[in-house]
Amino acid sequence: MFNQFGLFSLFITLTCNCLYAQSFADFKRVQVESFSKFRDKKDSEFNKYLQAQWKEYNAYISPPMYQKPKPKVVPALSQKTPQNVGPNLVINIKPSVVKALTSPVKKLKGYDATFTFFGIFLGFDFDKGMKNAKFYPRRQKGIINFFSVMAASDYDNLLYNIKVTCKHMNLNDWGIYLLVDKLSHTLFSTPDDAKLFSWFIFNKLGYRVKVALGADKHVVLLHEIKGKMYSTPNYTFDGKKFYVISEYNKSNIGDIYTYSQDYPDATKALDFELKTLPILEKNLQTKTVSFREYGKVYSASYRYNQNLIDFMNSYPQVDYKVFFNAPLEYETYKDIAGDIKQYTDNKKASEALNFVLRFVQKAFKYERDNAQFGREKVMFAQETLCYDKSDCEDRAVLYARLVKDLFGISVVGVKYKDHMSTALHVPMRGDSVKVSGQRYVLADPTYVNASLGQSIPKYKSIIPDSFVYVK
């Protein structure tokens, strides 16, 4: 029995070794074939550069958005009727210019990769040779091997379909990032392979992206971004900052080993601006909010797309101008403009602006981000309207958006070390700030019952850190 068992063990061992040898031989064959079949001259040149000695780079964690904690409780004034001044205002509701979504995917059967992306079912075909790309061995050579297989694959059709889909859905750079990330994790089950696939695709799409090896021998994906990203590990190459987006609001990942040269013609930095909204599948919800003023209850009901809220919720903390300048979804704008219009049309400017100020101050409860989300989070105006609670910056973003969209008045965000307010370019009395040499009257959407020109007492003598210009 012992001899039989020994022979059986020997047979299994030899069989496994043969299978391993055969598998490894296949892997080596794929690598050799890949090196000789690069479809783009740029890939051949870049591959040679990847083989050079990599260098060590030190991490830097970008600071949080606020230097001091925001107030846990905000003060409130006793109600007092302000003087009504200025011309009479009328809200003119703008027509929609957004096209309805018609799905770019006619038939999902037969596609190599399918997934749901904010309510839309997407399908992509890819060259089966891409599946041979593996991060092996787990060092610089493994990254070169992965790149070689991808560069030898027929990737043109996949790139074309990614571009068509992104254009059809009107995706900004952040939307493109999310789509490529979702596709990468659909095609590859291991995170390192998915990151390397994303790296290859982003470079081919023209984005300046690098990969590196962390101290734990795992792949680190680095994106150059336009502007600033808070609470995120980043590294500097030739004066340009590259951020580890996947590690936003997480611990420092330490030093990395990578290269400094960019992929040829990959010159675009990831831009988080949301000038126009993505076209997503409609999942309309309805919300009603109300507030009491001098014994009378005012209410507003509006529709919103939950898929758009989910998209916005995925945003990391980037420059304030991104949040202040994003538009409202048209259904939400039309509904809320219609309800506010019935209360403010033909009222004096100060009365109309103060009504909207009261709406933002009183229709939503105050709650700091850490208590509501467990982290710092600036909300888009669209999000603030959909959540029951918000803090100072969220209210500032919402009030600025409403003032700009409803009345066309010039408005800025006013940033202090631990607070955010707004200021309007209107000829009215009260507390004010100088913005580019012009006087702006303060309007604090967090200071309950305060009217235009009334700021929280502790900030009256403080010079703001910065202003956010609203387009």
Side-chain angles (χ1 to χ4, degrees):
M1 284 293 291
F2 178 81
N3 290 337
Q4 289 178 345
F5 180 78
L7 289 172
F8 181 73
S9 299
L10 179 61
F11 174 76
I12 292 294
T13 302
L14 289 173
T15 302
C16 290
N17 285 338
C18 285
L19 289 174
Y20 174 80
Q22 184 178 3
S23 176
F24 184 75
D26 289 341
F27 176 79
K28 293 293 291 181
R29 177 181 53 78
V30 170
Q31 303 307 312
V32 172
E33 291 176 355
S34 298
F35 276 111
S36 62
K37 293 182 179 179
F38 287 153
R39 302 175 63 251
D40 189 335
K41 184 179 179 181
K42 293 184 297 186
D43 292 334
S44 180
E45 296 171 352
F46 189 63
N47 181 75
K48 292 176 183 177
Y49 181 77
L50 289 176
Q51 297 181 53
Q53 182 67 40
W54 287 14
K55 298 179 181 179
E56 182 178 7
Y57 291 85
N58 300 319
Y60 171 76
I61 297 290
S62 50
M65 301 188 86
Y66 282 89
Q67 297 180 27
K68 296 180 179 180
K70 286 174 278 190
K72 187 174 182 179
V73 179
V74 294
L77 281 173
S78 57
Q79 284 190 315
K80 182 179 179 181
T81 304
Q83 182 180 2
N84 295 322
V85 297
N88 293 346
L89 298 183
V90 175
I91 295 174
N92 295 311
I93 300 176
K94 298 172 288 188
S96 174
V97 294
V98 178
K99 295 180 181 179
L101 175 68
T102 56
S103 177
V105 180
K106 302 298 182 182
K107 184 180 179 182
L108 288 179
K109 292 183 178 179
Y111 281 103
D112 297 322
T114 60
F115 54 88
T116 304
F117 188 71
F118 298 106
I120 300 176
F121 291 99
L122 298 178
F124 294 91
D125 285 328
F126 61 92
D127 181 358
K128 304 304 184 293
M130 291 181 178
K131 297 292 287 184
N132 292 323
K134 300 292 181 185
F135 176 43
Y136 181 84
R138 301 186 65 81
R139 54 180 187 267
Q140 179 182 344
K141 179 63 175 175
I143 292 176
I144 296 169
N145 288 339
F146 192 101
F147 177 85
S148 299
V149 174
M150 287 298 301
S153 69
D154 185 7
Y155 51 78
D156 288 333
N157 187 58
L158 178 60
L159 285 175
Y160 172 79
N161 285 319
I162 290 174
K163 292 176 183 178
V164 168
T165 300
C166 292
K167 182 177 180 180
H168 185 86
M169 295 180 65
N170 195 41
L171 297 180
N172 68 340
D173 283 356
W174 178 243
I176 295 172
Y177 169 88
L178 294 176
L179 187 141
V180 172
D181 182 70
K182 189 70 177 284
L183 176 60
S184 300
H185 285 88
T186 301
L187 295 183
F188 293 92
S189 58
T190 61
D192 286 334
D193 288 341
K195 289 176 184 177
L196 289 172
F197 178 82
S198 292
W199 164 60
F200 182 85
I201 295 298
F202 278 122
N203 277 329
K204 287 295 182 181
L205 291 173
Y207 290 95
R208 190 177 279 124
V209 180
K210 298 180 186 297
V211 286
L213 282 174
D216 58 0
K217 300 301 182 183
H218 282 291
V219 173
V220 178
L221 192 62
L222 303 142
H223 288 260
E224 186 195 5
I225 73 166
K226 189 176 180 180
K228 185 182 294 184
M229 187 172 175
Y230 296 87
S231 302
T232 306
N234 59 84
Y235 302 81
T236 302
F237 303 87
D238 297 326
K240 299 182 178 68
K241 285 186 178 294
F242 285 70
Y243 290 78
V244 187
I245 296 176
S246 62
E247 296 299 311
Y248 161 68
N249 205 38
K250 297 178 183 178
S251 59
N252 191 349
I253 61 174
D255 296 344
I256 59 170
Y257 293 86
T258 187
Y259 55 94
S260 61
Q261 183 170 314
D262 297 324
Y263 180 79
D265 300 328
T267 59
K268 293 190 294 185
L270 200 70
D271 189 350
F272 284 89
E273 275 196 279
L274 194 59
K275 297 177 182 178
T276 58
L277 298 179
I279 303 174
L280 306 175
E281 189 73 24
K282 292 291 186 182
N283 179 15
L284 290 179
Q285 309 291 321
T286 302
K287 185 178 179 67
T288 299
V289 297
S290 62
F291 70 97
R292 183 181 295 274
E293 182 80 352
Y294 298 113
K296 183 177 180 180
V297 175
Y298 299 89
S299 63
S301 296
Y302 41 86
R303 295 164 292 168
Y304 64 91
N305 184 3
Q306 184 59 51
N307 287 322
L308 178 60
I309 298 302
D310 293 340
F311 172 81
M312 291 178 164
N313 187 52
S314 72
Y315 256 73
Q317 298 307 289
V318 291
D319 289 331
Y320 278 113
K321 66 179 182 180
V322 171
F323 301 94
F324 271 90
N325 287 291
L328 288 171
E329 186 175 21
Y330 183 74
E331 286 88 353
T332 307
Y333 158 77
K334 181 181 178 182
D335 293 348
I336 203 166
D339 284 343
I340 292 177
K341 179 180 175 67
Q342 64 178 317
Y343 300 126
T344 62
D345 262 10
N346 295 310
K347 302 291 186 182
K348 294 291 185 182
S350 62
E351 185 176 0
L353 293 169
N354 278 325
F355 179 87
V356 178
L357 189 60
R358 290 289 186 276
F359 167 72
V360 179
Q361 289 171 347
K362 293 185 169 185
F364 310 93
K365 295 179 180 179
Y366 178 84
E367 184 75 272
R368 292 187 298 180
D369 291 330
N370 285 328
Q372 183 169 196
F373 301 108
R375 60 183 174 89
E376 186 63 39
K377 172 179 168 53
V378 180
M379 289 196 280
F380 291 95
Q382 186 77 35
E383 291 180 281
T384 302
L385 287 168
C386 299
Y387 283 90
D388 295 330
K389 301 174 182 179
S390 52
D391 66 8
C392 59
E393 65 211 3
D394 308 320
R395 293 159 182 250
V397 170
L398 175 58
Y399 184 64
R401 188 76 267 148
L402 292 175
V403 167
K404 192 70 174 180
D405 287 354
L406 300 179
F407 307 115
I409 292 174
S410 181
V411 56
V412 296
V414 183
K415 173 71 169 58
Y416 299 95
K417 283 183 172 57
D418 61 347
H419 184 56
M420 177 72 82
S421 184
T422 66
L424 282 58
H425 188 40
V426 290
M428 296 180 185
R429 296 180 179 178
D431 299 327
S432 63
V433 290
K434 284 283 186 178
V435 182
S436 298
Q438 296 184 311
R439 181 177 180 271
Y440 277 63
V441 178
L442 285 160
D444 198 323
T446 305
Y447 193 16
V448 177
N449 291 325
S451 299
L452 265 71
Q454 292 181 301
S455 64
I456 296 176
K458 69 172 285 188
Y459 298 107
K460 286 189 177 185
S461 60
I462 297 176
I463 299 175
D465 284 359
S466 59
F467 300 107
V468 184
Y469 295 88
V470 181
K471 301 175 183 176

